[in-house]
């Protein structure tokens, strides 16, 4: 017996959302944060357990840089993810996790963390230059004759 229409739609939506997210190099938490939903809710969408509300579908399209047709599996063939770059393409996953943590801090704690980071950065050694290190050749010193 074929699966109900809703299950098929949920599965198609989840796979399309996951593919778009992966192409952009985002985590589920990144997408959920940008859309304004809980990460667990977005995770259920990707697993085909639920569909987004209309307002969240629109936000997902913006965040994932893909059309609603592509996410819903309608229209002629799958639509590729739009070519526009994500807003935070240059950020690593670690930096995005850190930013999420910092956003949760109250202003006093954020200021304290900022001071600690500035102090730590000021004492860290400078990063190694990308140019190759040129080593000086050892020069043998001439010994003075005794006498």
């Amino acid at each position: 017996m074929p699966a109900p229409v809703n299950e098929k739609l949920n599965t198609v939506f989840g796979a399309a959302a996951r593919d778009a997210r992966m192409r952009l190099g985002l985590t589920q938490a990144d997408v959920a944060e940008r859309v304004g939903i809980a990460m667990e809710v977005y995770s259920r969408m990707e697993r085909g357990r639920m569909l987004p509300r209309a307002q969240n579908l629109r936000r997902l399209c913006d965040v994932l840089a893909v059309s609603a047709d592509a996410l819903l599996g309608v229209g002629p063939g799958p639509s590729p993810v739009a070519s526009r770059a994500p807003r935070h393409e240059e950020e690593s996953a670690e930096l995005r996790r850190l930013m999420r943590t910092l956003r949760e801090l109250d202003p006093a704690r954020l200021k304290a963390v900022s001071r600690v980071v500035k102090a730590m950065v000021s004492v860290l050694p400078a990063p190694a230059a990308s140019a190759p290190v040129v080593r000086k050749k050892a020069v043998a010193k001439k010994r003075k004759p005794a006498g």
Side-chain angles (χ1 to χ4, degrees):
M1 183 170 183
V5 174
N6 246 10
E7 284 184 32
K8 287 181 182 178
L9 180 57
N10 289 1
T11 302
V12 167
F13 178 86
R18 182 182 54 252
D19 290 346
R21 175 180 61 81
M22 299 294 279
R23 283 187 204 132
L24 294 173
L26 299 172
T27 65
Q28 287 184 346
D30 294 332
V31 174
E33 178 185 9
R34 292 174 187 184
V35 172
I37 59 176
M39 202 272 302
E40 294 78 12
V41 171
Y42 179 73
S43 177
R44 277 182 275 183
M45 288 180 201
E46 271 198 12
R47 287 181 284 135
R49 303 285 186 244
M50 68 181 291
L51 291 171
R53 295 184 338 200
Q55 66 190 33
N56 289 336
L57 175 60
R58 184 176 183 133
R59 290 182 194 139
L60 278 166
C61 291
D62 290 341
V63 169
L64 296 174
V66 67
S67 71
D69 287 353
L71 288 178
L72 297 172
V74 296
S79 300
V81 172
S83 61
R84 71 180 170 118
R87 290 183 294 175
H88 303 288
E89 183 176 69
E90 70 283 354
E91 293 181 3
S92 68
E94 184 65 28
L95 182 56
R96 290 189 305 261
R97 282 190 292 272
L98 178 59
M99 291 297 292
R100 274 194 299 279
T101 302
L102 292 173
R103 283 188 195 105
E104 295 172 1
L105 296 176
D106 61 75
R109 289 184 181 197
L110 182 60
K111 190 171 185 177
V113 169
S114 177
R115 287 182 186 149
V116 169
V117 169
K118 286 178 185 175
M120 289 180 69
V121 168
S122 70
V123 297
L124 289 175
S130 58
V133 176
V134 178
R135 298 183 185 261
K136 293 181 180 179
K137 292 182 181 179
V139 178
K141 292 183 180 180
K142 294 183 180 178
R143 292 188 178 192
K144 293 182 183 177

